[in-house]
Amino acid sequence: MTDDTFHDALVAPDTSGLPDRFFDRFVFNLHPVDASSPSVLIGLGVHPPKDVVDGFAVLVTGTEQRNVRFSTELSATDGASAGPFSWQVVEPMKTWKLVLGANPTGMEFDLLWHARTPAWTGEVNVDNDGPTPTSFAHLVQSGYYSGTLSIDGRQRSVDGWYGQRDRSRGVRTLSGGQGLHVWYQAQFPDRSIGFLLVETRQHDRLLLEGAVMHENGLLDDIVDVRHDLRFDDGLDLKGGTVEVTTESGEVYTVDTDASAGGGYMAGAGYGGHHGRPKGRDHIEHDVYPLDGTVSPRTLDSALTDRLASFTWNGTEGRGIFEFAMTRSRSYTYRPSLR
């Protein structure tokens, strides 16, 4: 569904009366329209009850993944910057400014993100094994960039590059029982196919939300998703087919090549590190070689945001195929598309 009342800016640092686990987070990605690298993942979240703001920037090249994570006290910031990163909502739901300064990855950028489709918003409500249910507002939207990206001192224009964004606000404690997680953002010249799918370890559907977002303003809600995916022994996605059915009756059969590698979100702190107080001006950095020694099975989080190539009805596309499969021995992947 669409919701023009979504408050696009992050909550103010001094906001009171929020649940202890409350967060307000944005994630952007950046990648060429017609190439498998580089892929850039950027995110930041505020946690007012814990006086924490933390974020990350991830660069994936053809040979390695470079990660920087930063955290500080929210009360010590201006509410528009943290560590080497700053942001501005230039026009809600339409334009954001993102700037990354000097940091250990060797990547810097000065970007404007521009919406190319309407946003799809919804509410995620899931009961968990623990006492705290998951309940948060969720927004996804396709866009494109203008500006510059610098890697190891070499600057290039990113004008026209694709970029999807994700906004979420509330309490998120998805824990226990999940078998397969997919956040799918396939970008084609005139539309974006975007959904969130979560299945249990018994292969039952726990959650499905999303829409096909058209550049002409049409939002066509997604009502069914079936998949036939290929994973290696490291739980890493290699490719497969996804079939998406929309409310209007359209059926999209999309083939995926996810062999580019990288996008491991452990490098972005997704192994349970977000929102943990680390004091002022904390920064950490590491590099993952993309030679098979690092995989969703070896890291502290299996979540992966893979820059993938898509083919639908003879049309080529690019986008992020986010996936995570449980490492529980009680689960074996089962295709639902036969």
Side-chain angles (χ1 to χ4, degrees):
M1 64 181 177
T2 182
D3 183 358
D4 296 333
T5 65
F6 187 93
H7 187 259
D8 209 9
L10 297 174
V11 298
D14 58 354
T15 303
S16 60
L18 299 172
D20 182 60
R21 294 189 178 184
F22 177 90
F23 75 103
D24 193 355
R25 178 171 293 276
F26 62 77
V27 177
F28 286 83
N29 53 62
L30 165 70
H31 57 83
V33 172
D34 56 358
S36 59
S37 68
S39 175
V40 177
L41 307 162
I42 319 129
L44 180 133
V46 297
H47 311 264
K50 298 180 180 180
D51 193 26
V52 171
V53 54
D54 50 23
F56 62 86
V58 172
L59 169 67
V60 182
T61 70
T63 59
E64 64 183 10
Q65 175 178 323
R66 309 179 192 179
N67 312 304
V68 63
R69 297 172 296 277
F70 45 90
S71 176
T72 192
E73 295 172 356
L74 182 58
S75 58
T77 72
D78 58 4
S81 64
F85 184 57
S86 63
W87 68 95
Q88 178 188 358
V89 182
V90 178
E91 185 175 1
M93 313 300 285
K94 292 185 178 180
T95 308
W96 281 57
K97 184 175 179 63
L98 308 170
V99 178
L100 182 69
N103 68 90
T105 65
M107 172 178 65
E108 300 181 36
F109 54 69
D110 189 338
L111 307 172
L112 280 175
W113 178 90
H114 310 268
R116 75 180 187 104
T117 71
W120 186 93
T121 63
E123 293 283 338
V124 176
N125 295 285
V126 179
D127 290 330
N128 296 308
D129 290 347
T132 305
T134 288
S135 178
F136 63 90
H138 189 219
L139 175 154
V140 292
Q141 189 175 20
S142 177
Y144 63 92
Y145 286 94
S146 60
T148 57
L149 169 69
S150 175
I151 301 174
D152 297 332
R154 298 183 63 180
Q155 183 172 289
R156 70 179 80 181
S157 170
V158 298
D159 291 358
W161 285 24
Y162 281 146
Q164 300 74 248
R165 72 175 184 129
D166 183 299
R167 288 282 286 109
S168 47
R169 175 186 294 127
V171 176
R172 183 171 188 167
T173 54
L174 288 173
S175 59
Q178 287 82 50
L180 178 69
H181 163 102
V182 172
W183 182 77
Y184 183 93
Q185 302 295 323
Q187 308 301 308
F188 296 100
D190 65 346
R191 70 196 69 187
S192 170
I193 303 173
F195 64 82
L196 173 63
L197 170 70
V198 182
E199 296 179 355
T200 69
R201 293 177 188 173
Q202 292 73 44
H203 308 284
D204 297 319
R205 181 174 296 164
L206 185 64
L207 176 67
L208 174 63
E209 59 161 33
V212 178
M213 298 161 276
H214 294 252
E215 282 195 345
N216 66 8
L218 173 67
L219 284 174
D220 194 1
D221 283 357
I222 291 172
V223 297
D224 191 32
V225 170
R226 296 192 296 165
H227 50 80
D228 184 1
L229 306 174
R230 300 187 306 276
F231 295 89
D232 66 14
D233 291 341
L235 307 183
D236 210 340
L237 178 67
K238 295 304 178 183
T241 302
V242 171
E243 181 187 88
V244 173
T245 302
T246 69
E247 191 172 55
S248 71
E250 292 286 337
V251 178
Y252 295 81
T253 302
V254 186
D255 293 322
T256 303
D257 179 352
S259 61
Y264 304 121
M265 298 304 280
Y270 276 79
H273 303 283
H274 295 158
R276 292 184 177 181
K278 296 182 179 179
R280 290 194 181 187
D281 303 325
H282 176 83
I283 190 165
E284 53 193 42
H285 164 252
D286 45 34
V287 177
Y288 300 157
L290 301 183
D291 59 2
T293 58
V294 174
S295 74
R297 190 181 291 277
T298 66
L299 296 165
D300 66 359
S301 172
L303 189 68
T304 304
D305 277 29
R306 176 66 44 74
L307 176 56
S309 302
F310 301 101
T311 305
W312 158 66
N313 197 28
T315 301
E316 299 296 318
R318 292 288 190 281
I320 298 298
F321 196 133
E322 178 183 279
F323 61 92
M325 193 160 59
T326 179
R327 288 172 278 201
S328 170
R329 294 182 179 179
S330 67
Y331 177 84
T332 300
Y333 172 75
R334 180 194 300 170
S336 56
L337 178 61
R338 301 181 187 276

